[in-house]
Amino acid sequence: MKDLTTYGVLGADGVEFLAAISGYGLDIAFNMKLINSLADAEAMADSMADVFYEALMDRLIAQKRDFAKPPEAK
């Protein structure tokens, strides 16, 4: 069995994760045929950030509906 792999973003305190990807035998596959330059790598990383941003927004809306409500008019 492979060791536990964890990728994540630590909070400002440097102790707790804001988000983490973790698992035993975690496989991250990069299509190296298509990543041929630093620009390609940066574009891929930016696109992955967009994927996780969308997943986070979906979770926030599902769990904290009041977070997504527009402010009421006064």
Side-chain angles (χ1 to χ4, degrees), residues 7-69:
Y7 296 93
V9 177
L10 289 174
D13 62 5
V15 177
E16 291 187 83
F17 281 111
L18 293 173
I21 300 169
S22 183
Y24 289 97
L26 184 65
D27 181 38
I28 297 179
F30 298 105
N31 187 344
M32 299 310 289
K33 293 185 301 184
L34 300 178
I35 302 171
N36 297 307
S37 67
L38 183 56
D40 291 344
E42 289 173 345
M44 186 278 308
D46 288 343
S47 296
M48 288 303 295
D50 291 343
V51 168
F52 286 103
Y53 179 82
E54 189 172 320
L56 173 60
M57 290 301 111
D58 288 347
R59 178 77 55 95
L60 281 171
I61 290 168
Q63 291 183 348
K64 300 181 179 190
R65 295 223 179 261
D66 57 330
F67 178 84
K69 288 181 186 174

